[in-house]
Amino acid sequence: MRAQSKNQFNVLRIIAASLVFYSHSYALGRLPEPWFLGAMSFGGLGVAIFFGISGYLVTTSFQRDNHPLHFLAKRALRIFPALIVVSVVCAYGLGPLVTTLDLGTYFRNAGTHAYVYKNIALFPRFDLPGVFVSNPYPVGVNGSLWTLPLECFLYVVIAAFCLIPTEKYQKYATLALGLGFGVLSYVTPMNKYI
């Protein structure tokens, strides 16, 4: 039996995706999102589940091959090929089909091209000129890209953390990291991006 079929991560991913879908269906209908136990939106809970699973799997990957450059190369290969394709297809495939602008204006607009290179550079841009302008969230061509800079930052944190030489120091680093993320989540709550 394959290792992947021995765990339930795919079931957890489906649950997390369903929570995000459920929560966003309210937001896209311009209704208040329901909250889970008054602590966060169901979408926020789904994203937290995704990040938890990812953190576990990515750390396990690093432990199998703890060379930082190998680890970062694997993470880059997991993110950037798909990110490039999605950005190009959205800007140059989807955009021209649904923009309210004429095609000449759309392709001359710097925002069309900025959408591609800014997203690939991990500075998410969510709008394309004239695309989805009548939607409840007119700048939401691909809103899920907001997670990528955070994911990439956390990959670097995991690589740095796993290079700490002893368990004694890793315990202190874990405490500092937890406190740091707690402060960060208080200062910039994740729910405002979901």
Side-chain angles (χ1 to χ4, degrees):
M1 185 177 273
R2 290 179 9 202
Q4 186 177 11
S5 62
K6 291 181 184 177
N7 63 52
Q8 297 300 316
F9 287 127
N10 287 336
V11 172
L12 289 174
R13 285 186 185 108
I14 290 169
I15 291 169
S18 298
L19 291 171
V20 172
F21 182 79
Y22 170 71
S23 189
H24 285 186
S25 68
Y26 281 83
L28 292 174
R30 295 185 183 199
L31 299 169
E33 291 184 61
W35 282 58
F36 178 75
L37 301 178
M40 64 174 56
S41 71
F42 281 92
L45 177 61
V47 170
I49 291 169
F50 276 123
F51 273 104
I53 292 169
S54 181
Y56 173 79
L57 294 174
V58 167
T59 302
T60 301
S61 171
F62 186 85
Q63 290 172 335
R64 281 194 300 266
D65 178 3
N66 64 0
H67 191 284
L69 293 180
H70 296 172
F71 172 76
L72 294 174
K74 288 177 190 173
R75 303 288 64 82
L77 287 171
R78 186 153 175 100
I79 287 180
F80 287 102
L83 177 60
I84 291 166
V85 169
V86 164
S87 298
V88 168
V89 167
C90 282
Y92 303 122
L94 172 71
L97 293 175
V98 298
T99 185
T100 56
L101 305 175
D102 65 84
L103 291 182
T105 303
Y106 177 80
F107 283 110
R108 283 190 302 273
N109 191 306
T112 301
H113 312 293
Y115 179 89
V116 175
Y117 68 78
K118 285 192 174 196
N119 283 331
I120 292 170
L122 298 177
F123 294 101
R125 182 178 175 121
F126 307 113
D127 63 313
L128 282 167
V131 174
F132 301 147
V133 292
S134 61
N135 282 6
Y137 288 97
V139 296
V141 174
N142 192 350
S144 60
L145 297 178
W146 75 266
T147 64
L148 292 181
L150 180 56
E151 284 181 56
C152 289
F153 169 72
L154 292 173
Y155 293 155
V156 172
V157 168
I158 288 170
F161 180 79
C162 289
L163 290 174
I164 296 172
T166 66
E167 286 185 30
K168 175 185 174 185
Y169 293 118
Q170 284 181 349
K171 289 176 187 174
Y172 294 123
T174 302
L175 178 62
L177 195 60
L179 290 173
F181 280 119
V183 169
L184 182 64
S185 68
Y186 178 77
V187 173
T188 57
M190 183 171 61
N191 278 323
K192 79 178 192 178
Y193 300 108
I194 299 171

